[in-house]
Amino acid sequence: MSEKLLEINNLKTHFFTEAGVVPSVDDVSFSIKKGEIVAVVGESGSGKSVTSLSIMNLLDKAGKVVNGEILFDGKDLTKASEKELRNLRGDDIAMIFQEPLTSLNPVFTIGNQMMEPIRLHLKLNKKDAKARCIEMLDKVGIPRAEKVFDSFPHSLSGGMRQRVMIAMALSCNPMLLIADEPTTALDVTIQAQILNLMRDIVEDLGTAILLITHDLGVVAEMADKVVVMYAGQVVEYADVFTLFKNPKHPYTQGLIESTPKINQLYEKLHSIPGTVPNPLNYPSGCRFVDRCPFAMKQCITHEPNNTYTADGHTVKCWLHEMDRIENETLKEKVRN
Ligand SMILES: Nc1ncnc2c1ncn2[C@@H]1O[C@H](COP(=O)(O)OP(=O)(O)OP(=O)(O)O)[C@@H](O)[C@H]1O
Ligand code: SF4
Ligand SMILES: [Mg+2]
């Protein structure tokens, strides 16, 4: 197996709507190694979910991957057949979404719903599949797992249902777990419990996680690497320590300043003024230009490139491209 379990290169996903083409994901690249937790963070509408749905081709009809490759264990999923993708889903790649699409079916017992993928993917008989279910329910900290196995979803609390979802997702030993806002609907204490649980299980099984969240507190607790998205693009990409110690993009800096737990130095909470631009009408230069306290003239007209540093830190901002332009006169010229 290659060192990179998942490698997304220059992904563009567009929605073809009556109002026009929505470039929801625009040239996104990042990778995940085996056993690694990579968080994708950004405000609502930044393209986090569309990125994750593109991986397994679960976009709705209007959506299409129009460019790039998604390599899973070396195989390009953008070229895979629906049958190949179906085999991967729930087997090598598992997903937990907040959306009802993948939540539990109210008319079947927990056991019924858990058994099916286990029997299919692990090819176990009924007795062994049941034993596996109980083992997984135990693992995610569900008391009286045997009883829960025979219960219907409505008899469980939100936190318990989410634990069941995690147990289901991990029951076939996936190589990659995609978790899109897995705890947002739960109260804070349960959130922390469930995230810790996910981290422990993942450490045990060596599963990699693509964790989508808009909560930087969760990122700091969980992630090895962080992808910061803004308006469909990756604006910063770094390991978690580097990102919090030395955030380079003004958007990331704003996000950190507006996160209470992380930003203990600031007495007053900042929030980033302004809103995300309309995706049908993105600015031609930097997409953050209307909200950026450091915006310069060329930010309006020219899109910044990705600047890479030796330690793998990537930032898409003119301030950092400028750092590389050594000639002061030239710098002044570009600035004006
Ligand atoms: N089915 C669709 N048709 C048209 N546009 C869509 C569709 N789904 C998503 N989009 C657009 O794509 C962009 C990215 O959406 P996405 O759901 O990925 O955001 P997100 O980062 O997951 O936000 P949130 O934090 O609210 O979940 C948004 O502008 C959204 O309006
Ligand atoms: S490119 Fe310009 S507007 Fe965009 S984040 Fe950097 S300084 Fe701000
Ligand atoms: Mg989303």
Coordinates of all heavy atoms in Angstrom, one line a residue, residues 48-50 99 180-181 212, ligand 3:
K48 N -17.1 21.8 2.6 CA -16.6 20.6 3.3 C -17.4 19.3 3.0 O -16.8 18.3 2.6 CB -16.7 20.9 4.8 CG -16.0 22.1 5.3 CD -16.1 22.4 6.8 CE -17.5 22.5 7.3 NZ -18.2 23.8 6.9
S49 N -18.7 19.5 3.0 CA -19.5 18.3 2.8 C -19.4 17.8 1.3 O -19.3 16.6 1.0 CB -21.0 18.5 3.1 OG -21.1 18.7 4.5
V50 N -19.4 18.8 0.4 CA -19.3 18.5 -1.0 C -18.0 17.7 -1.3 O -18.0 16.8 -2.1 CB -19.5 19.7 -1.9 CG1 -19.3 19.3 -3.4 CG2 -20.9 20.3 -1.7
E99 N -26.6 13.8 8.4 CA -27.8 13.8 7.5 C -28.7 12.6 7.7 O -28.2 11.5 8.0 CB -27.4 13.9 6.1 CG -27.5 15.3 5.5 CD -26.3 16.1 5.7 OE1 -26.1 16.7 6.8 OE2 -25.4 16.1 4.8
D180 N -18.7 13.4 8.9 CA -19.1 14.8 8.6 C -20.0 15.4 9.8 O -21.1 14.9 10.0 CB -20.0 14.8 7.3 CG -20.2 16.3 6.8 OD1 -19.9 17.2 7.6 OD2 -20.6 16.4 5.7
E181 N -19.4 16.2 10.6 CA -20.0 16.8 11.7 C -20.7 15.7 12.6 O -21.9 15.8 12.9 CB -21.1 17.8 11.3 CG -20.7 18.9 10.4 CD -20.0 20.1 11.1 OE1 -19.9 20.1 12.3 OE2 -19.7 21.1 10.4
I212 N -14.9 16.2 9.4 CA -15.4 17.5 8.9 C -16.1 18.2 10.1 O -16.9 17.6 10.7 CB -16.3 17.2 7.8 CG1 -15.5 16.7 6.6 CG2 -17.0 18.5 7.4 CD1 -16.3 16.2 5.5
Ligands
MG3 MG -21.6 20.3 5.5

